[in-house]
Structures are given as structure tokens and as C-alpha cells.
Amino acid sequence: MIQQPRIHTSIVNQGHTLHYCQFSGVSVFHEFVDRQIPRLSTPNRSVFKAFNRWVGTQIAASTTVFGEEVPDSVASLNTYSVFGKMHLLAQIRSKLQSKLHAFLYKTENHTVSTSQLEWNDKGVGSFSFAMASMGLFKSIPMATKDEEGLEAQVEKLKIALELTGIGSSVRKSYVHFGQHKGSRPALELYVTAGGNANIEGEALHYVGIACAELTTYMESKGIPIAIYVVLATFWNHQSIAGIICLKRFEASLDINQLLLLSSDPKYFRYRGCKALIALGDYMGLELPKGLGRHYTGMHQDIVATVTEGKGVSFGQSYSIEEAVKEVTLIKGLVVKDKSNS
């Protein structure tokens, strides 16, 4: 049975209502959207049809809404899955390095319950033959030269079938992940995807690039980081958001997925907007034809509400310079948090 996401409702700092759902992964999120679209209410079905017509018009006019490379069709946007501007990572890397070095020394107060391998003798987790074999002993009667014929064959058969006693002096042969409060710095980053209609398609590429570089650098230093992508919009004093877990603390980063969901106009301005329609409909709301907008500080309001101030919001960055500033901003937030702790 498919479990539908829970709808959360809260009041944000600005005084308006936030409705949001949380998703454990990208595939779970896409499956939800694909299930919801055929079930749209009549008003939201009209919004979706009008949206598809607008997308078709933009493609026919060869606009840069979806970036410099114009997509072939609406259908190609619906299956788009590979970030197309990986070379931008190299352009921004050198400008971020000095900021990243400073950032590391300011995060020592942020800790997380990190997963560590633990061994036990209670049968919890997976059995490790490699561990148990380190202390193997045998209490089996071996076939001797005095044993002949049938008796010898029986003893050999017992050994082959392991019907005689084999034990191990290593009692803790089962391994599982145990949770320990780590002494290393750790962060939960929330990346708000996309941008308003007046933002050029190419500019959207920078939204998640700084986050990707920051994450790669932290991972290379063994520092855990969790990443969530936030798809959101605002209208009529209310916001809706989908919070998608992209990377858990113990997992490695899929850079393509991070940049695709957060920074690729071909994704955000079709599948992302389609997802907003699905989310709003699931929450029982009617979306406006323009699908709402992002207001200044919206990403911070959403993250502060969803995480009760524990998460760090990685806002929109529409240029290399703004991406560098975003890393600096996060460093400042961490320093402030440390001084208040």
C-alpha cells in the first residue's frame, strides 16, 4: 500500500500560512507527482492545461525561459533528468575555496547523531562470517585412519553438512549502525529551487552550484552534511512547499540530482512547476494561473518553520558573485548560532 505524504500546516514569521509535505527521496517525490496529476480537481486541471500551453508557446518562440538550449518539446521536459551545465562548477570552485576554509573553522559547535558500525552478540543487524571466522574452533570428530568404510564416510558427511559442533570465540559477530552524538561539525542545508519568472533561465543554474561545491568540500574533510531541496510558491497569504530529502548525513552526494532539482531551468520550469500544481491540489488548494511567486526571505521563513530554526537555508544565487556571498552568509549564520549557544 502506497503511503501518502502527511500535510503539515504552520504559521510563518510573516503571519501567513505554510502548507508543506516532506518526501524521503527524489523518486518518492516524482512518484507522488505522477500519481496526483491525473487526479487534479477541475480548477487545477485547467491551470495545468494552461501551463502546458504556455510552455509550448515558449518553446515555439525559442525563448530563454528554459536556458540557452531550447527544449525539443513539452514531452522532453517531462523526462529531463541530467543537469546540463556541469562546467560551471569549475568556474566557481576557485572563488569559493577561501570561503570554505574559513567556514570549516566556524562550524565546530554543530554536531549530529552520526551512524557508526557497532558489533553485538544479540543477533541485531547482519551476521558477519568474516568476524566470526577470526575465532573459529571445531569440536568435530575427524575421520581417523582407524575408521574405515561406512564409518569414515559418515564422519566425512557430518563435516560436509556441518552437523557436528563448530563454534567461534568471537561473540559479537553481528553488525549494525548505532547512533552516537558526533564531535564533528554537521549541517542540514535546505536549498530553495528555482526563481520568479523574471529571472533568466541561465541565471537559475547558480542556485545550487555553491551548495554542491560546499558539500563536496565538506565531504572531502569527513564532515557530515544533509541536503534537502525545497520546491515552494506563495500566493494569497499562503505558501505551499515540498521538502525533498536529497542527501542524508551518512550518504554521498549525487551532484546531478542536486543541481537538476535546484538549479536547472529545464527541470524547475516544467517538472518543478508541475509538482507545485500537484502539491497544491493534494492540499486542497486552487493554484493561480501564474502559479504564485517567491517573495524576499521566503526560503528563510520556510526553513525556520519546518526545522524550528535548526536548519540552514541556502537561498537563491543567480550569479557566481551571489553564490560566493551565499557561502559567506551561511558561515555568518553558523557563527551567530555558536555565539548564542
Side-chain angles (χ1 to χ4, degrees), residues 152-334:
Q153 294 301 318
V154 168
E155 290 305 320
K156 290 179 181 179
L157 182 61
K158 286 182 179 180
I159 295 169
L161 295 178
E162 298 183 355
L163 295 178
T164 50
I166 299 177
S168 173
S169 60
V170 179
R171 297 182 59 82
K172 295 184 178 181
S173 303
Y174 289 83
V175 64
H176 72 288
F177 281 105
Q179 297 295 321
H180 294 277
K181 195 67 174 179
S183 59
R184 298 177 298 168
L187 284 177
E188 285 188 11
L189 288 185
Y190 289 76
V191 187
T192 303
N196 288 325
N198 63 322
I199 303 297
E200 287 291 329
E202 288 296 302
L204 291 184
H205 287 127
Y206 293 96
V207 173
I209 282 181
C211 180
E213 185 59 27
L214 173 62
T215 303
T216 301
Y217 187 86
M218 291 182 75
E219 283 189 329
S220 72
K221 302 299 182 182
I223 297 173
I225 181 170
I227 299 177
Y228 298 82
V229 172
V230 181
L231 278 166
T233 189
F234 168 82
W235 80 99
N236 290 344
H237 304 290
Q238 61 187 350
S239 297
I240 63 171
I243 315 294
I244 308 154
C245 180
L246 190 71
K247 177 190 177 303
R248 301 186 187 281
F249 286 110
E250 66 272 15
S252 59
L253 173 65
D254 185 330
I255 292 180
N256 176 67
Q257 282 201 336
L258 169 63
L259 297 181
L260 181 72
L261 268 68
S262 67
S263 307
D264 201 311
K266 287 184 177 62
Y267 178 90
F268 175 74
R269 286 183 169 164
Y270 189 75
R271 294 183 75 179
C273 291
K274 173 184 172 182
L276 290 174
I277 296 172
L279 278 167
D281 188 80
Y282 179 69
M283 295 169 179
L285 305 172
E286 293 182 12
L287 279 88
K289 290 185 177 180
L291 304 186
R293 63 183 177 86
H294 286 182
Y295 64 83
T296 302
M298 183 179 78
H299 60 287
Q300 294 165 332
D301 285 343
I302 291 175
V303 175
T305 302
V306 171
T307 69
E308 297 181 346
K310 298 177 182 177
V312 176
S313 173
F314 211 107
Q316 290 90 348
S317 304
Y318 301 125
S319 68
I320 289 179
E321 290 73 23
E322 289 184 4
V324 172
K325 289 178 182 178
E326 191 62 36
V327 172
T328 306
L329 174 61
I330 291 179
K331 180 183 69 175
L333 290 174
V334 174

Side-chain angles (χ1 to χ4, degrees), residues 82-97:
V82 179
F83 181 70
K85 297 287 183 177
M86 284 293 182
H87 65 276
L88 293 177
L89 282 171
Q91 293 180 18
I92 199 173
R93 182 170 289 119
S94 61
K95 296 193 176 187
L96 283 172
Q97 290 304 309

